[in-house]
Amino acid sequence: MDYTAVIFGETERTADLITVGARDDAIGPVLVYYDRPARMTEDAAESWDGALDGVILAASRLDQPVIVASTLPELMPEETAERLAEHGIVAVAGLSEGILCAGALTVPPPDAARLRSIAATMSTVRPKPTATVSSGPTSAAGNSGGVLERPARTHKGSGESSGHSGRAGDSSETSDHSGWTGDSSEASDHSGWTGDSSEASSHSGWVAEHEAKEMLVGRGLAVPRGRVVRDVDDAMRVAGELGGPVALKVSSPFIQHKSDISALVLGVEGDAVREAYGRVDGLGGVVLVEEMVPPGVEVLIAVRRDGVVPVLVVALGGVWVEIFDDVVLIPLPADADRVEQAVRRLRAAPLLVGGRGRPAGDIRALAEVAATVGAMALEEGLDLVELNPVFVHPDGVIVVDAVIRRGT
């Protein structure tokens, strides 16, 4: 609302004008623009003072908040801002900034209990880093190096799958199986591996991929079937047990980006497994053999603790995370209901809810996985968790690649 300069400087009439307009039931926060020139004559300064007095008087009569902003930052001198602050009025320097602040006041206030739970995470004492090599799950084939049993499922499907994903990122492909079959005992049989892993974890905090997936399986999350192999013959045997194409990759706490050093080979079977093993063996760490299966919608789930509070990050995953600025940040702790609400705000949400012939993804399962990862990071004092991609299928969710760094 603009008003005539005839009343400019008249305190009472200016206050009445603002008060009458603001008391309409349709009006929320009040944003008043006020520019204070740097140099004025004495008479001009008196008019500007009268106008500002009118704004202050109107604010004292209103229940809703009043913001005073200048159209240009330099037109809100410090003296004016201080005077407004004395009367409990927010002073903002800038046209757009004033609109943003007024808009922020229309957002419902945060839940006090929620704020307290977020603040409580900052006082949590992080546990000291520990070696991450464990005894691992029980092998379905005893000590013969067979594929391990699957843990509890985190998605609905159970059918075998042998398709390809076609993604040539840092991860193997996912499956409809929920079982992580990495075998720490097998890893310890690999010459020098146990000591190397402990040393890497204690000094850098990074966790080898197969160990990171053991942590996820311990939380009931689904990962591709597979395990660490001792040699090329073991790789051939595991590939045969898995059936269909497999991925071979280096698992090491010193390697977080496998494609950068060609430490990943996708979609091989038969004699090609032997050649692939030769390509990745010797690059450091141990060799992990995993099954490949059809992809779903690729999503990134991450936890970061380098901000004011720990946050859970959910975004469109794979290569898309770097192309589209489409991310939700959820302060931790967060339950599955809160995560699901945030995920549905993504611009990419239509890819997950289905439509135009596409099946709907299991968003609820995605939210539960993300909430579980957030809780794990807080409880175990993890500095960083990055699961990318996580494949969302109509019948569940599976974590394809996992990067974890413990608190150091």
Side-chain angles (χ1 to χ4, degrees):
M1 177 171 56
D2 196 4
Y3 58 90
T4 176
V6 172
I7 69 168
F8 189 76
E10 296 188 22
T11 299
E12 192 63 40
R13 294 177 71 181
T14 300
D16 288 344
L17 183 68
I18 296 173
T19 303
V20 170
R23 281 179 175 167
D24 188 293
D25 291 340
I27 302 300
V30 177
L31 173 60
V32 180
Y33 282 100
Y34 176 84
D35 292 331
R36 184 83 180 190
R39 297 179 181 179
M40 293 184 291
T41 64
E42 186 174 337
D43 290 341
E46 184 177 350
S47 294
W48 254 266
D49 289 340
L52 187 62
D53 288 340
V55 175
I56 293 172
L57 180 58
S60 69
R61 298 172 176 175
L62 296 174
D63 294 329
Q64 66 261 59
V66 175
I67 297 174
V68 176
S70 58
T71 55
L72 296 174
E74 59 266 26
L75 296 179
M76 177 61 73
E78 185 175 350
E79 298 79 13
T80 301
E82 289 176 347
R83 186 179 176 201
L84 290 168
E86 290 173 357
H87 293 275
I89 301 172
V90 177
V92 181
L95 180 73
S96 299
E97 289 78 2
I99 295 174
L100 290 172
C101 290
L105 292 175
T106 66
V107 178
D111 178 23
R114 167 73 173 154
L115 292 179
R116 284 193 292 271
S117 68
I118 293 172
T121 65
M122 302 306 296
S123 60
T124 302
V125 178
R126 297 181 181 180
K128 294 181 180 180
T130 57
T132 58
V133 174
S134 63
S135 60
T138 302
S139 172
N143 296 323
S144 62
V147 177
L148 304 186
E149 293 179 348
R150 304 184 188 105
R153 295 183 181 277
T154 58
H155 61 92
K156 304 168 189 172
S158 60
E160 295 288 337
S161 179
S162 59
H164 295 269
S165 164
R167 181 175 182 270
D170 282 350
S171 61
S172 68
E173 309 312 311
T174 63
S175 75
D176 289 334
H177 303 291
S178 62
W180 164 241
T181 57
D183 189 347
S184 294
S185 62
E186 296 291 346
S188 63
D189 288 340
H190 195 284
S191 178
W193 167 246
T194 302
D196 290 346
S197 174
S198 301
E199 181 181 359
S201 297
S202 62
H203 289 291
S204 69
W206 293 106
V207 178
E209 182 183 343
H210 72 281
E211 295 173 311
K213 286 179 174 174
E214 285 179 7
M215 295 171 66
L216 298 178
V217 167
R219 295 279 174 162
L221 304 188
V223 301
R225 293 186 305 155
R227 69 169 172 82
V228 168
V229 296
R230 292 185 295 268
D231 51 36
V232 64
D233 292 333
D234 197 18
M236 294 289 290
R237 181 169 53 253
V238 171
E241 292 168 349
L242 292 173
V246 296
L248 283 81
K249 58 172 74 173
V250 173
S251 179
S252 168
F254 297 106
I255 301 174
Q256 284 78 53
H257 302 287
K258 301 176 184 65
S259 58
D260 292 347
I261 60 171
S262 300
L264 172 69
V265 182
L266 302 178
V268 294
E269 57 184 323
D271 290 338
V273 173
R274 188 178 301 276
E275 179 186 354
Y277 182 90
R279 290 166 57 183
V280 299
D281 185 37
L283 295 178
V286 294
V287 177
L288 174 62
V289 178
E290 288 184 340
E291 64 183 346
M292 291 182 61
V293 295
V297 178
E298 297 187 18
V299 174
L300 173 142
I301 298 174
V303 175
R304 302 191 65 91
R305 301 191 66 150
D306 52 0
V308 177
V309 297
V311 293
L312 178 66
V313 183
V314 183
L316 200 63
V319 298
W320 304 114
V321 69
E322 298 177 357
I323 297 177
F324 298 111
D325 184 17
D326 188 18
V327 177
V328 288
L329 305 177
I330 310 158
L332 290 172
D335 59 22
D337 290 339
R338 186 174 298 277
V339 175
E340 183 175 352
Q341 292 174 7
V343 168
R344 291 183 181 276
R345 293 198 299 268
L346 287 168
R347 294 197 304 274
L351 295 175
L352 295 167
V353 300
R356 300 184 66 86
R358 293 180 58 92
D362 195 342
I363 292 184
R364 183 60 187 182
L366 172 63
E368 290 172 353
V369 168
T372 299
V373 171
M376 179 182 73
L378 293 181
E379 293 168 10
E380 301 194 25
L382 306 178
D383 272 348
L384 173 69
V385 179
E386 184 173 307
L387 313 181
N388 182 31
V390 175
F391 277 11
V392 182
H393 296 115
D395 56 359
V397 175
I398 189 164
V399 179
V400 181
D401 193 27
V403 175
I404 292 178
R405 185 176 67 211
R406 294 184 180 276
T408 54

